[in-house]
Amino acid sequence: MYKIINLKRLKKDLFNKNVLNIKIYKEIIKKNLKKLIIIIGPCSLSNIKELFFYINKIKKFFYNLKFLIRVYYEKPRTNIGWKGYVYDPYINNSFCILDGIYIIRRFLLDLINIKINIATECLNFYFLNYFIDCIIWVCIGARTMNSQIHREFCSNINNIIGIKNDSSGNIIFLNDSLKSIINKHCFLSFFENTKILFSKGNKNCQFVLRGGIVPNYNYNTVKNIKNSLIIDCSHSNSMKHAINQIYIFENIFNQFKYLKSYINGLMFESYLEYGNQSIKNYYKNISITDSCINVNILKIIIDKINNEFSK
């Protein structure tokens, strides 16, 4: 399926395509366009063919919306466990990292060729350097949002940055991360240790509320945030029960329509079939990490948003 390609030859054309796409999303973040950014896909990439089939199945839903597909090739861990496709693409503890890097890169190129925009989470920025020209939206996770080196890295790239609240659900550190990323930094290159980089700062940042000890999508929390905001309908907001994403969506969509807030994005964990399974991966089309809603439920949600923007 994956042929040898000249990545250097393709890089310039891909970058130019991504710049055009990024501009649209930046206008939404600045509220120059009253639209919602929808970020969807499985919790983690685990099967290339299944995810490609999922994308082709759901892309026709979005005729009035801008959406990004989650290609989360790393899996954040509080302690131990499967760390994601890029570390172990065959899910058998063979840890073929070079295979993982190559397969993911080829997959991202395939998605760009069918005009799919891509989001990911930045855990290990050394990996991100292999994929950065293919990706529009980069998230700093709940476990890394306070990391100075992640903030420095994000201050030096042109991508849109999502900043999740920390795993406790506390939102007070969001402004600290934002302030750091939008400002200039001087630091060592991550690939050339003798090279000093001077970043210009990155102002294209969104906060991502993903819940914590308790959910944090309620209006009492949202009304105090004065920055572009995406609500994660999954993770701790849903208490890890996929079906709860429907109720969270209803709440947030009403906030977006009727109340003053900075909400201009939603995130869902969805896949071909409902639920999840163990890492042993006995069943097809089911997430091996967090539980997901299926394409039928997703279509009901997206149809409702489409109808709102058709008025």
Side-chain angles (χ1 to χ4, degrees):
M1 181 178 177
Y2 295 99
K3 298 178 181 179
I4 295 173
I5 56 170
N6 186 333
L7 297 181
K8 288 183 179 179
R9 181 172 58 82
L10 289 175
K11 188 173 182 181
K12 185 175 180 182
D13 289 340
L14 287 172
F15 180 76
N16 288 338
K17 288 180 184 178
N18 254 353
V19 166
L20 293 175
N21 289 331
I22 287 174
K23 285 181 179 178
I24 297 170
Y25 290 95
K26 287 178 180 177
E27 290 301 303
I28 297 173
I29 290 171
K30 294 173 185 175
K31 291 209 161 195
N32 292 336
L33 291 174
K34 188 172 174 57
K35 289 185 176 291
L36 277 173
I37 298 171
I38 311 296
I39 302 176
I40 54 164
C43 170
S44 299
L45 169 65
S46 60
N47 185 302
I48 294 286
K49 288 183 179 179
E50 284 182 4
L51 184 54
F52 201 80
F53 181 69
Y54 165 84
I55 291 166
N56 277 305
K57 198 175 180 76
I58 61 108
K59 66 180 183 180
K60 59 189 175 184
F61 299 168
F62 294 86
Y63 52 85
N64 270 330
L65 302 170
K66 288 294 174 186
F67 75 101
L68 297 143
I69 288 291
R70 292 167 55 106
V71 183
Y72 282 30
Y73 50 80
E74 298 174 271
K75 175 65 180 171
R77 290 296 179 185
T78 301
N79 41 60
I80 60 171
W82 183 66
K83 294 197 295 182
Y85 196 95
V86 73
Y87 288 94
D88 187 17
Y90 308 115
I91 319 177
N92 61 1
N93 292 323
S94 58
F95 301 108
C96 298
I97 291 177
L98 294 181
D99 285 10
I101 291 172
Y102 180 80
I103 294 169
I104 292 164
R105 173 79 188 183
R106 177 65 262 181
F107 179 56
L108 297 179
L109 297 178
D110 288 344
L111 294 185
I112 289 173
N113 284 335
I114 61 170
K115 299 181 179 179
I116 296 296
N117 299 321
I118 301 160
T120 197
E121 186 168 311
C122 173
L123 301 177
N124 185 324
F125 37 76
Y126 292 103
F127 285 135
L128 187 59
N129 276 294
Y130 290 101
F131 314 125
I132 192 70
D133 60 310
C134 300
I135 293 167
I136 285 179
W137 192 88
V138 176
C139 192
I140 303 179
R143 296 164 185 82
T144 51
M145 59 90 69
N146 283 321
S147 164
Q148 183 59 36
I149 53 178
H150 283 76
R151 294 172 177 180
E152 290 172 351
F153 182 90
C154 290
S155 75
N156 195 46
I157 59 179
N158 187 48
N159 310 67
I160 297 168
I161 307 299
I163 309 168
K164 283 188 178 180
N165 62 255
D166 69 15
S167 54
S168 72
N170 200 328
I171 66 169
I172 62 171
F173 300 117
L174 288 171
N175 284 318
D176 291 340
S177 292
L178 176 65
K179 185 176 180 180
S180 179
I181 292 169
I182 66 176
N183 277 284
K184 300 176 182 178
H185 290 275
C186 173
F187 54 95
L188 286 173
S189 168
F190 298 116
F191 276 138
E192 302 172 64
N193 288 336
T194 57
K195 184 178 180 181
I196 305 297
L197 296 178
F198 293 86
S199 70
K200 296 180 179 179
N202 186 345
K203 295 181 180 179
N204 302 295
C205 297
Q206 296 183 284
F207 293 157
V208 181
L209 296 190
R210 48 88 71 197
I213 298 170
V214 296
N216 61 5
Y217 61 87
N218 59 81
Y219 184 64
N220 284 337
T221 300
V222 168
K223 69 181 182 181
N224 295 317
I225 295 176
K226 309 300 181 187
N227 187 66
S228 176
L229 182 60
I230 285 183
I231 306 296
D232 183 353
C233 295
S234 186
H235 293 98
S236 295
N237 275 334
S238 68
M239 307 304 287
K240 296 296 182 80
H241 295 292
I243 198 66
N244 288 341
Q245 293 186 68
I246 299 173
Y247 311 122
I248 297 160
F249 159 71
E250 289 284 355
N251 183 302
I252 298 308
F253 198 50
N254 285 330
Q255 287 189 46
F256 173 77
K257 288 196 298 181
Y258 303 119
L259 301 174
K260 260 192 168 183
S261 75
Y262 282 75
I263 294 171
N264 51 19
L266 290 162
M267 183 183 290
F268 300 97
E269 286 191 321
S270 70
Y271 205 39
L272 290 161
E273 300 293 341
Y274 181 87
N276 63 342
Q277 61 177 316
S278 76
I279 196 70
K280 293 180 180 178
N281 200 19
Y282 291 131
Y283 308 104
K284 292 182 179 180
N285 304 328
I286 300 177
S287 169
I288 63 170
T289 49
D290 286 357
S291 184
C292 297
I293 55 174
N294 62 22
V295 291
N296 294 329
I297 297 173
L298 179 67
K299 186 177 187 305
I300 293 169
I301 291 170
I302 300 306
D303 282 349
K304 184 165 184 176
I305 305 174
N306 276 322
N307 290 338
E308 179 63 26
F309 285 102
S310 296
K311 293 176 182 178

